[in-house]
Amino acid sequence: MDFPDLGPLWLTIRLAAVTTLFLLVLGTPIAWWLAHTRSRAKPVVEAITALPLVLPPTVLGFYLLVFLSPDALLGGLWLDATGSTLTFSFSGLILASMLYSLPFMVQPLQGAFEAVGRVPLEAAASLRASPFDAFLTAATPMALRGYLTATVLTFAHTIGEFGVVLMVGGNIPGRTKVVSIQIYEQVETINYDAAHMLAAILLVFSFAVLLAVYSFNRRFPVHVG
């Protein structure tokens, strides 16, 4: 049995790592706002954030393909600035993955921030801490469980992407061919041994991720402020 090419696996890990890092930066202020705002726009923002959970990946992938194309505003600006297209590129995969995995980052963080409450922030403010200092020194340590859960689930979810990355990135070896597409390709060519090996790797990885998250959540309960 020939050992499958591991290039798509490393590309997938790289994509998941970059996506998770960017979503930590983007998702934290969104989750913080959702946890503390009283704006009437909150349900709308929550619905938009959660949309990738219920929207078929092919639908999301199609509209991303349209909006990231060189003929669209964002795709055209990117082409003018970099000389390359967002579609069928690793950069395009990152944007697509960020949108597709956004709820897996925002929802755990929002729940963690809501559990922390305002009491630690008010205590920090009474000690003349700025709002940002209060967030870093009071809220963030108490929301550590939420951060860990959000980070792990976002990374794992990005690893398993298929429909969105296929439509936005295609199947270009070394650039956009991730492991889920590689498995599909092996099945199409009746190479079940290679498909089984790659699928088993993802199965074990996914189980290990979920086991680690649930074990951590049982060991470290939420601190309510």
Side-chain angles (χ1 to χ4, degrees):
M1 179 179 63
D2 294 334
F3 199 78
D5 177 23
L6 294 182
L9 180 59
W10 305 132
L11 182 68
T12 305
I13 293 174
R14 178 186 168 202
L15 174 64
V18 174
T19 298
T20 301
L21 180 62
F22 284 175
L23 279 181
L24 275 170
V25 177
L26 176 65
T28 294
I30 295 175
W32 182 261
W33 184 83
L34 289 174
H36 294 95
T37 186
R38 296 182 180 178
S39 171
R40 293 182 179 179
K42 178 180 178 179
V44 177
V45 177
E46 286 182 316
I48 294 173
T49 302
L51 194 59
L53 291 174
V54 297
L55 198 64
T58 50
V59 175
L60 181 60
F62 170 73
Y63 282 113
L64 282 171
L65 187 62
V66 171
F67 290 130
L68 299 182
S69 69
D71 296 329
L73 177 61
L74 179 59
L77 291 174
W78 182 270
L79 179 62
D80 292 339
T82 66
S84 61
T85 63
L86 274 173
T87 52
F88 307 106
S89 69
F90 186 75
S91 298
L93 287 188
I94 293 175
L95 288 177
S97 298
M98 287 177 62
L99 182 58
Y100 190 49
S101 294
L102 181 63
F104 290 86
M105 178 63 71
V106 171
Q107 291 185 357
L109 289 181
Q110 181 183 349
F113 291 147
E114 289 173 347
V116 169
R118 292 189 172 274
V119 173
L121 301 177
E122 293 171 355
S126 68
L127 298 175
R128 298 185 178 181
S130 68
F132 185 68
D133 287 337
F135 169 77
L136 289 181
T137 60
T140 299
M142 298 181 70
L144 181 60
R145 170 179 164 178
Y147 269 104
L148 179 63
T149 301
T151 299
V152 173
L153 290 182
T154 300
F155 186 89
H157 184 253
T158 306
I159 289 284
E161 287 178 340
F162 176 72
V164 171
V165 295
L166 178 62
M167 295 197 69
V168 174
N171 184 14
I172 305 175
R175 291 180 57 189
T176 63
K177 184 178 179 180
V178 295
V179 68
S180 58
I181 296 176
Q182 184 186 19
I183 293 173
Y184 178 75
E185 185 181 72
Q186 297 297 339
V187 172
E188 275 197 320
T189 57
I190 322 297
N191 190 358
Y192 290 150
D193 288 339
H196 171 70
M197 185 177 298
L198 292 168
I201 292 175
L202 291 190
L203 176 62
V204 172
F205 171 78
S206 299
F207 177 78
V209 164
L210 292 176
L211 181 62
V213 169
Y214 286 127
S215 298
F216 183 86
N217 286 344
R218 284 177 59 87
R219 185 175 181 181
F220 298 96
V222 175
H223 297 282
V224 180

